[in-house]
Amino acid sequence: MMMNLKNILFGAMLLVVASSCQKQEEDLVFGESPDVRMKAKIDSINNALTTAPNGWKATVGTGLKGGYGFYMDFDDQQVVKMVADLTDASATKIEGSNYRVKQDNGATLIFDTYNYISMLNDPNPSVYNGTIREGLRSDLEYRFLRSNADSIIFVGKRYSQQLVLAKATAAEKEAYNTGAYKTGIDKTKIIFQSFKNPYIEVNIGGVATKLALSIFSGTKTLDIGSVLPDNKTVLNTFKFAFNLKGFDILAGGNHRDLVFTKGEVEGNSIFIHDIAGNKYEIKNSANPILPIEVMFSFDGAFNAITIAGTKQPEGVSSSFNSIWTALVNFHAANGMVTHSVNFRLSTSKVAVLDVRFQSGSTVYLASAEYNYTLTDGVLKLTAPIATNGNWNNGWVSTAVRNYFSGGEFKLTYISGSDPNAGTLGGLIKVSDPAAIFYGKLSKL
């Protein structure tokens, strides 16, 4: 009886083993192993990269600035040749480097040797104005995300910025290889500089609406702002990269009900295109489109007025100019360099004036806080409610202190003569309209 039971158990084990082997054989017949599937995926990506007859137009975003444009041509010897919109030289000089596609937590495109993408990742600030250790927060390794017949999309493994490749035409290949990229970039920048207060007119929910634009070639970013029906503002910042005919807006330029995709030069004009195929001409206004009263608040599109460096924005007449010059000279006489001055609304009740000055690589801060009210564009400050040591030790001149302490100001836009200064804002003293503190409007 015992022998029969052992035989039954042994027979059952044989059936289990046989069933398992049969199941494995069936899996291999009807579905490939993960290694085989990954190899097929890598081979497919390599084939797509190398067989595009005219190469690829590409864009990539960065974590610290905007987007950057490239033309890339991959060969079957794992060499990619490229131009890029980083500098005048990179837009015209074709450089080659090594690449490979390998399995690394998915199929991954890796740029092995130094190239124009590497410049965005360079930790030496002198190479391309990046930060020490992180560069502009751009990647050298990109994981495959998805593809279709005309494009491949990868995403950076560390900073999650998308690298988008789109097939180029024969004419585009010729243009990129013969220096036309720089010509297109230069023309786009020249038109940018001609705008004082650019805007486009769109239709949102059946209502004709003006959208204000701020275009920053240096940071490769585009701001689009508008006033909502409840009189609140919405401001979206997008990254862009230059192409042969204008610029591409990266990762979906969503503003309210519209999605903007690119800007394209036609003659001496630029048109913004949306995802539905509509285009809108960028127009120029003598005055800013959006009222500063709805744009400037502690939680608004702007909350600060900033002077960076030792020079104020050019072309503005104000008695504050002499106060500023005296502050810069005072710092210089004491072995310091004026670094920046920021006036900002930090909360709904507290405003802060930060004066920074520098010795060598060390930046010092003198700071004062004020209670304030802001009603209908009129800002009223109390005397300082808190100050720090450098403020108390005299690193801020009496004239600057007196300008702000207990002051009443009219908030306004300011017109300067430098087209690259950005949108300027000012605080005009109600008691002395010739006295204007002014600088770039910013969000801090």
Side-chain angles (χ1 to χ4, degrees):
M1 186 71 177
M2 183 63 68
M3 290 296 295
N4 289 340
L5 179 59
K6 288 182 177 180
N7 289 338
I8 292 171
L9 291 173
F10 181 71
M13 291 173 64
L14 289 176
L15 287 173
V16 170
V17 172
S19 175
S20 175
C21 291
Q22 182 179 2
K23 181 65 169 63
Q24 185 178 14
E25 289 174 359
E26 289 175 352
D27 285 343
L28 294 179
V29 170
F30 295 105
E32 298 168 330
S33 70
D35 288 344
V36 171
R37 290 197 299 271
M38 180 54 65
K39 183 180 184 303
K41 174 61 70 177
I42 290 173
D43 289 344
S44 175
I45 295 170
N46 271 317
N47 184 67
L49 291 175
T50 58
T51 60
N54 302 304
W56 301 85
K57 299 174 292 183
T59 60
V60 67
T62 62
L64 292 182
K65 289 190 178 180
Y68 292 84
F70 297 81
Y71 169 76
M72 300 182 181
D73 197 357
F74 298 85
D75 69 19
D76 59 7
Q77 300 302 306
Q78 295 190 323
V79 173
V80 56
K81 295 180 179 178
M82 65 176 70
V83 292
D85 69 350
L86 282 71
T87 65
D88 288 349
S90 72
T92 55
K93 185 180 180 182
I94 300 170
E95 290 284 3
S97 69
N98 296 118
Y99 79 93
R100 59 196 163 109
V101 181
K102 63 172 287 187
Q103 197 283 330
D104 187 2
N105 192 25
T108 301
L109 171 63
I110 301 172
F111 295 96
D112 280 318
T113 52
Y114 201 89
N115 56 32
Y116 292 136
I117 285 184
S118 307
M119 290 174 64
L120 302 177
N121 189 59
D122 200 304
N124 183 349
S126 66
V127 172
Y128 198 67
N129 299 317
T131 60
I132 296 174
R133 294 188 299 274
E134 295 184 311
L136 294 181
R137 294 184 184 170
S138 180
D139 284 285
L140 299 176
E141 299 184 5
Y142 292 86
R143 188 179 70 254
F144 172 80
L145 193 60
R146 62 182 181 273
S147 65
N148 57 35
D150 298 315
S151 66
I152 308 176
I153 300 176
F154 299 88
V155 63
K157 290 184 63 177
R158 183 178 182 186
Y159 296 112
S160 301
Q161 299 290 326
Q162 287 191 356
L163 170 63
V164 179
L165 304 181
K167 285 184 178 178
T169 65
E172 288 170 334
K173 178 180 181 178
E174 176 70 12
Y176 280 113
N177 285 329
T178 56
Y181 196 13
K182 179 180 180 301
T183 302
I185 293 170
D186 289 345
K187 184 170 185 179
T188 303
K189 286 182 176 180
I190 288 171
I191 299 176
F192 281 172
Q193 291 171 1
S194 69
F195 295 128
K196 182 65 176 176
N197 298 293
Y199 71 97
I200 57 176
E201 295 178 295
V202 302
N203 187 295
I204 299 179
V207 178
T209 305
K210 291 182 178 180
L211 306 184
L213 309 179
S214 295
I215 306 166
F216 304 104
S217 296
T219 58
K220 309 287 284 299
T221 57
L222 167 69
D223 291 346
I224 301 181
S226 61
V227 180
L228 299 171
D230 61 1
N231 210 39
K232 292 184 178 180
T233 58
V234 57
L235 181 74
N236 300 116
T237 299
F238 308 111
K239 300 168 185 172
F240 74 82
F242 288 111
N243 58 38
L244 289 168
K245 296 182 179 180
F247 58 92
D248 295 303
I249 299 173
L250 278 57
N254 298 64
H255 182 80
R256 296 170 67 174
D257 294 335
L258 299 170
V259 180
F260 300 105
T261 59
K262 64 181 180 179
E264 195 161 287
V265 173
E266 296 183 21
N268 292 317
S269 300
I270 298 181
F271 291 81
I272 299 288
H273 294 242
D274 68 20
I275 200 170
N278 303 306
K279 66 179 186 178
Y280 314 90
E281 182 179 1
I282 300 181
K283 299 179 181 180
N284 200 18
S285 172
N287 300 302
I289 296 300
L290 305 179
I292 196 169
E293 290 85 355
V294 297
M295 293 294 288
F296 192 91
S297 64
F298 82 97
D299 59 353
F302 306 113
N303 75 329
I305 298 174
T306 299
I307 305 173
T310 59
K311 294 184 178 180
Q312 295 169 279
E314 296 178 355
V316 181
S317 177
S318 168
S319 62
F320 187 83
N321 293 353
S322 61
I323 296 176
W324 173 259
T325 301
L327 177 67
V328 171
N329 291 341
F330 166 73
H331 285 157
N334 287 276
M336 298 288 181
V337 176
T338 306
H339 180 276
S340 64
V341 171
N342 294 307
F343 176 84
R344 59 188 171 91
L345 307 182
S346 63
T347 73
S348 61
K349 295 181 179 180
V350 176
V352 179
L353 180 66
D354 289 332
V355 178
R356 290 180 169 83
F357 48 98
Q358 186 169 350
S359 176
S361 61
T362 303
V363 178
Y364 300 91
L365 171 66
S367 180
E369 296 183 356
Y370 311 81
N371 284 329
Y372 78 91
T373 60
L374 178 57
T375 306
D376 297 328
V378 176
L379 176 75
K380 295 181 180 180
L381 299 177
T382 66
I385 58 173
T387 55
N388 75 347
N390 285 324
W391 182 280
N392 299 329
N393 290 337
W395 285 103
V396 179
S397 65
T398 300
V400 171
R401 298 181 187 211
N402 291 342
Y403 185 87
F404 288 94
S405 181
E408 183 175 353
F409 307 89
K410 177 64 179 176
L411 184 64
T412 185
Y413 289 116
I414 296 294
S415 295
S417 60
D418 182 357
N420 297 312
T423 304
L424 302 181
L427 299 175
I428 301 176
K429 267 212 164 181
V430 173
S431 61
D432 180 10
I436 311 168
F437 171 78
Y438 59 95
K440 181 180 178 181
L441 288 169
S442 55
K443 180 71 174 179
L444 298 177

